[in-house]
Amino acid sequence: MKVKKLYHLHTIACNHATLTLDEMVEYSLKNGYEKLIFTEHYPYPNSDETDEWTSQKTFDGFYQNFVECKKKYGNKIEMHFGCETEFPRAGREFFLNIKNDNRVEFAIFGNHKYLDMFMKDDKNETVDSLNKKYNEIKDIGTHTKKDLKNYYILSKDALKSGMFSYFAHPDLWINRYKKWDRYAKKLSKKLIRLAIKYNCTLGFNSNGLAKKIKKNLVLAYPLKYFWEMVAKHKEIKVIIESDAHKLEHISTEWLDNAYDIAISYGLKDNLVEDVTLKPLQ
C-alpha cells in the first residue's frame, strides 16, 4: 500500500459522482487508509440540482452527513471537510468569501473555468448567470493559445492569494489543448515557476490517469511531459490525489498504479504523503 491518505474526494453530493460518504469511509477503514480529505465543489449561490457539480441544498446536506460520519468514525480515521473551487476574476468576491463559511476547513484550487467570460469582473453579470451560461455551452472545443494564457493568469491569481492548500490537476488544460508545442511548454514552465515562488504543492491526479489509460491517450492529464519538467525541480512537492467519484477510484490498486507512474515520470523526490491544510478562517 503506497498511498495511505486519500486527497481530493467527491461523493454523490457531486452530480457526476456515484459514491456515498458512508461507503467511502467504510471502504477506507477496511482497506487501511488513515486520512480522508473531502473536497466537494463549492456551490454557486443559487445553484440547483441541474448544476453540473452540486447545489447549495445538496452541499448543505453533505455537510450534515459529514458531521454525522465524523461522530461515528472520527476515532477510527482522520477526516476533513474542505472544498474544491475555481478562482475566476468574474465574481471574484464570491470566491474570496468562501473563507466566511465556517463549515469549510480549507480549499484546493481546481482551475476549471478560464474561458474569456470568466476573465473580467462585469458588474452586470452575477456568478450564477455566468455559471449558467457556461453549463449551457454544448461543446467548449479545442483550446487556443489565449485559453492557455487565461489558465496561467487565473493560476497566478489563485496561488498568489494564499487561499489554497494545493493546486489540483495543474495540467488539466492539456485535455482540451491537445498539443505539446512551444506554447504548451511555455505554460508548463510558467506554472512550475508559480509553484516554486508560492511554495504550492501540485496534485498528481490518479482519476485522470485511469481515464487516460482506459482511452489509450497520450495528451491528457496527468501529462508525462509536464511532470517530467516538474521532476527537475526537487523543491516542488507533489501529492497523489484520488479525485474519487466512484468506489474503484479509491482502490489500493488504482492508487498504487498512480504512485508507480509518478515515480516513472521522475517524481520520486517530489512525492509527499501529506499536505498542510491551510485554514480558511
Side-chain angles (χ1 to χ4, degrees), residues 52-107:
E52 178 190 9
W53 287 331
T54 193
S55 69
Q56 187 67 60
K57 181 179 179 181
T58 302
F59 189 83
D60 294 345
F62 172 67
Y63 176 70
Q64 290 304 317
N65 189 195
F66 173 83
V67 171
E68 292 165 6
C69 272
K70 194 164 185 179
K71 286 180 181 177
K72 185 176 180 180
Y73 301 108
N75 63 334
K76 299 178 181 178
I77 191 167
E78 185 178 350
M79 299 167 60
H80 294 277
F81 185 88
C83 73
E84 177 184 13
T85 190
E86 305 79 42
F87 204 59
R89 289 186 168 176
R92 175 67 56 80
E93 185 175 356
F94 166 74
F95 297 93
L96 288 169
N97 283 336
I98 292 174
K99 65 183 66 174
N100 296 324
D101 187 336
N102 293 327
R103 301 171 300 179
V104 181
E105 299 174 46
F106 66 94

